[in-house]
Amino acid sequence: MTSQTILHTDGDRLWSSLMELARIGATPKGGVCRLALTDLDRQGRDLFVGWCEQAGLSVRVDEIGNLFARRAGTDPTRAAVAMGSHIDTQPTGGKFDGNYGVLAGLEVIRTLNAHGIDTAAPLEVVAWTNEEGSRFVPVMMGSGVFTGAFTLDHALDARDTEGLCVRDELQAIGYAGSHKAGEVPGGMFAAYFEAHIEQGPILEDRDLPIGVVPGALGQRWYDVVVTGMEAHAGPTPMALRHDAQLAAARIVQQVNAIALAHAPHARGTVGYMQVLPNSRNTIPGTVKFSVDFRALDDTVLQQMHEALSTYCESLVQADSRLKIGIEQVVYFPPCHFAADCIDSVREAARLLELPHMDVVSGAGHDAVYVADVAPTAMIFVPCKDGISHNESEDAKPEHLAMGCDVLLHAVLKHAR
Ligand SMILES: [Zn+2]
């Protein structure tokens, strides 16, 4: 096949749809604020559903408000091949996070329609409810209910800071669907592909348009409390101190070193710290802080955990007045996407002669839940400075078009 005969999506049409959706909830700084289950979310959903209907898709809404837009296949025995992401945003979000994956799916359908191409398997474009989790917790709510990560009632009972619950707000915007969550006509998806901006700096740094995503990092979050001895900063000589802040500073260095020891995929971050009594002439007696460890393998996460514990024990052994408590508060297992789907993404990039590399996802995505129930992979495209969850989030039209082309060919491989 020559490059002229390889099917391409319409990058201009994708871009103009992205820009039109971004007008709903547009912020003065060029971002988008379209929180889940608000009236703006309703307007965004209405626009998307209208586009789907124009493209000849039949739309169903499930009990948690997930939208599924289906294009029939020619073989009634086949399960659907799905594409999607989310269209809710952070309060100071951007135009591309989530929206790209949904509208890239729609663009794949529009391209097939324009060329009169049928697929054996049905195709579905999915918009998952409340991926961001900024108004209602838990995050990735729609995909979490769909895959059984938590119950429908748990999600429907979630309340925002004003006391409004998901159940009532779904009704209010007209998207409390009747289709049973987790059930797909004709059987669970044969494959699911999610295109997304990278939300990190790797692809831009390497000047590559496509990231093939082998999986998502597992996470262990800890609350750490270091207790020493408060004392006057003047009369207490250095050798006779039990400075909780000094121990905490050493642990921060060690968290960084532990992650570096498991490069390139491991991460270690101390993002929150509270110093008590936080007074400039008192030696800190108590320091509370967070540790966020991430890695692609559970064994690595376990090694990181042990390295942190061992280091803290060594500090306590060196200063018997020091106490260090470490409590794990969050655990997400690492997610490995399906080899077959990852290969399809890579093959599509090769077919299109697009430079690519493997990039693991450091963030959570709907695809991570969907991977529990269907063969799944993701496609990353670069975003400016690796920035997302920010009104300045930006991506290049040509990169978005290339990612959409990869999505098209990965989907075609599974649906033909
Ligand atoms: Zn997202």
Side-chain angles (χ1 to χ4, degrees):
M1 222 190 279
T2 68
S3 62
Q4 281 82 10
T5 61
I6 294 172
L7 189 62
H8 285 270
T9 58
D10 183 336
D12 293 338
R13 183 168 54 197
L14 169 63
W15 180 261
S16 69
S17 294
L18 278 164
M19 293 307 109
E20 192 172 340
L21 182 54
R23 280 206 282 275
I24 300 171
T27 62
K29 287 185 188 165
V32 179
C33 174
R34 202 166 57 239
L35 299 184
L37 312 185
T38 56
D39 191 64
L40 289 170
D41 186 16
R42 177 188 64 75
Q43 292 175 41
R45 287 163 174 260
D46 287 353
L47 181 63
F48 171 65
V49 168
W51 282 336
C52 289
E53 287 170 349
Q54 281 166 24
L57 307 182
S58 53
V59 178
R60 67 177 192 278
V61 186
D62 76 6
E63 298 159 302
I64 192 63
N66 293 321
L67 305 177
F68 302 84
R70 175 170 287 222
R71 184 180 193 258
T74 56
D75 181 349
T77 67
R78 296 276 296 269
V81 175
M83 310 162 266
S85 195
H86 58 95
I87 61 168
D88 66 314
T89 77
Q90 290 283 321
T92 52
K95 305 180 186 80
F96 306 98
D97 179 357
N99 297 286
Y100 171 54
V102 175
L103 295 186
L106 179 61
E107 177 52 38
V108 165
I109 301 282
R110 286 168 164 173
T111 300
L112 296 175
N113 286 350
H115 289 82
I117 297 169
D118 286 328
T119 55
L123 301 181
E124 288 206 339
V125 185
V126 189
W128 303 106
T129 293
N130 183 33
E131 190 273 348
E132 296 290 0
S134 46
R135 183 178 175 205
F136 297 104
V137 176
V139 298
M140 303 186 286
M141 179 179 277
S143 52
V145 170
F146 178 83
T147 61
F150 37 83
T151 64
L152 174 66
D153 279 333
H154 177 69
L156 291 175
D157 290 340
R159 288 180 188 275
D160 68 7
T161 53
E162 311 206 326
L164 299 168
C165 74
V166 167
R167 191 185 309 270
D168 295 341
E169 294 299 275
L170 267 175
Q171 293 279 357
I173 66 164
Y175 281 94
S178 55
H179 191 85
K180 190 159 171 45
E183 282 187 5
V184 179
M188 183 47 71
F189 303 141
Y192 172 78
F193 293 94
E194 182 162 345
H196 208 283
I197 56 169
E198 183 198 337
Q199 302 181 281
I202 298 170
L203 291 173
E204 187 180 65
D205 182 57
R206 305 278 188 93
D207 199 19
L208 296 172
I210 298 295
V212 179
V213 187
L217 300 180
Q219 306 180 27
R220 281 177 178 239
W221 294 4
Y222 305 88
D223 284 346
V224 181
V225 181
V226 180
T227 314
M229 179 74 73
E230 281 172 30
H232 197 299
T236 318
M238 301 311 286
L240 299 178
R241 294 175 176 216
H242 309 284
D243 184 340
Q245 173 77 320
L246 181 62
R250 287 176 170 150
I251 296 168
V252 173
Q253 292 273 9
Q254 193 64 17
V255 164
N256 194 66
I258 290 167
L260 282 172
H262 296 280
H265 294 320
R267 316 270 191 264
T269 305
V270 176
Y272 163 87
M273 184 170 276
Q274 191 182 21
V275 182
L276 300 170
N278 213 22
S279 166
R280 72 174 65 228
N281 55 356
T282 300
I283 298 163
T286 303
V287 179
K288 301 178 181 182
F289 58 96
S290 60
V291 172
D292 174 330
F293 277 151
R294 303 184 188 214
L296 192 53
D297 289 294
D298 246 340
T299 48
V300 173
L301 272 180
Q302 182 61 29
Q303 287 164 9
M304 294 169 80
H305 170 86
E306 282 161 17
L308 177 67
S309 302
T310 305
Y311 184 74
C312 290
E313 277 163 28
S314 75
L315 292 178
V316 171
Q317 250 148 38
D319 179 351
S320 59
R321 298 288 287 271
L322 214 54
K323 277 196 225 131
I324 303 175
I326 306 172
E327 186 193 355
Q328 183 175 306
V329 291
V330 167
Y331 170 68
F332 283 117
C335 167
H336 297 273
F337 290 141
D340 186 31
C341 293
I342 299 166
D343 286 347
S344 303
V345 171
R346 202 176 282 121
E347 281 167 30
R350 282 201 194 113
L351 174 74
L352 293 154
E353 297 179 356
L354 295 172
H356 56 277
M357 69 176 287
D358 284 11
V359 181
V360 298
S361 175
H365 290 289
D366 293 309
V368 172
Y369 277 147
V370 179
D372 287 339
V373 295
T376 293
M378 292 187 77
I379 302 156
F380 278 169
V381 296
C383 54
K384 189 170 182 295
D385 300 326
I387 296 293
S388 70
H389 288 197
N390 189 313
E391 290 165 278
S392 67
E393 179 185 289
D394 202 6
K396 290 194 172 131
E398 58 268 32
H399 290 157
L400 297 167
M402 289 171 187
C404 193
D405 285 346
V406 171
L407 177 66
L408 168 70
H409 287 282
V411 163
L412 278 178
K413 190 187 134 193
H414 289 259
R416 269 191 165 141

